[in-house]
Amino acid sequence: ADGESAEALLVASRLAEAHAAAWDDPFLLGQVERFAAHPVVWRQGKVTADSLRRVAANEYERSGFDAAVGIWRESLRRSRALADTAGTAATLANLGSGFLRESVLDSADVDLTEALRLSRLAGDRLAEGNVLGALHFVSLDRGDLAGARERISEAIALRKRIGDTRGEAADHNSLGLLSWDLGDLAGARRELQTALDMNRRDGRDA
């Protein structure tokens, strides 16, 4: 079992190194190193908390928010008990996104705002970009178009810095639709064209 664990950590480390090189983002490599430095009981706790988060996401898609929320909260409790900043941020982001999809905007705002703070604290820039995108939708659903524009513009700038072209293209598309709602037709065309060009360049369906 120890040999299998060591091999799994080696594989994870190599994948994280590849991610760091491709995305100019050392976050995952740091996470693997921190995971390896903890005692076995902590590692087991983190694996359980992360697994619960994934189970909750699957349960949400299969059975809805009510079936998933308790599992997410148990994952959150465990991540907090481990002082796992990145894991706590990830679960809060899932919870906030779930509340957003259910149109419970106050709860979505609270959880996503805390997820943003913790993602930044952990140095998880990919997660930070995703949370900014979700917060843009919270502002949009509240009718705060200026706030939505500020959030999605932050997300685009961050995605550009880390080379997340898929996320950046999606955010340019969101900004294009938002610009249209704001009456900025030239800006809308520019952003939508940027999204289209990026997707075509990278071989994604527009």
Side-chain angles (χ1 to χ4, degrees):
D2 289 343
E4 291 177 358
S5 296
E7 184 177 352
L9 281 172
L10 180 60
V11 171
S13 180
R14 287 173 176 169
L15 289 172
E17 287 173 357
H19 175 94
W23 292 72
D24 187 25
D25 184 1
F27 169 74
L28 282 182
L29 186 57
Q31 286 293 103
V32 171
E33 291 172 348
R34 281 190 287 274
F35 183 86
H38 276 90
V40 171
V41 67
W42 189 95
R43 295 185 209 169
Q44 291 172 338
K46 177 168 175 55
V47 168
T48 299
D50 290 351
S51 295
L52 284 169
R53 183 170 65 250
R54 287 188 286 271
V55 168
N58 290 334
E59 192 65 22
Y60 180 55
E61 296 303 330
R62 182 168 54 247
S63 304
F65 185 75
D66 288 344
V69 64
I71 307 172
W72 268 322
R73 284 178 172 151
E74 178 60 17
S75 172
L76 182 62
R77 184 190 69 79
R78 290 171 181 261
S79 291
R80 282 174 167 162
L82 294 167
D84 178 9
T85 303
T88 300
T91 303
L92 282 168
N94 282 181
L95 265 170
S97 295
F99 279 123
L100 173 60
R101 288 174 66 176
E102 298 300 307
S103 298
V104 185
L105 298 183
D106 287 347
S107 294
D109 193 12
V110 168
D111 285 345
L112 289 169
T113 298
E114 180 64 1
L116 180 63
R117 185 185 73 82
L118 292 175
S119 296
R120 287 171 169 166
L121 186 63
D124 189 349
R125 294 185 292 176
L126 185 60
E128 181 184 346
N130 292 337
V131 175
L132 283 167
L135 281 167
H136 134 268
F137 283 113
V138 173
S139 295
L140 198 61
D141 286 357
R142 284 176 162 168
D144 178 10
L145 301 189
R149 186 168 197 161
E150 180 180 350
R151 287 303 197 191
I152 204 65
S153 296
E154 283 186 75
I156 289 171
L158 178 60
R159 309 268 203 197
K160 192 183 298 291
R161 286 200 302 274
I162 66 173
D164 177 12
T165 58
R166 180 184 294 274
E168 185 186 347
D171 290 342
H172 277 295
N173 189 75
S174 293
L175 182 54
L177 297 175
L178 176 56
S179 297
W180 184 275
D181 288 340
L182 288 166
D184 179 8
L185 303 189
R189 284 192 294 270
R190 182 177 62 252
E191 296 297 333
L192 292 172
Q193 187 64 53
T194 297
L196 181 62
D197 291 346
M198 291 182 73
N199 283 322
R200 284 176 172 168
R201 183 195 66 201
D202 294 346
R204 291 187 293 268
D205 292 334

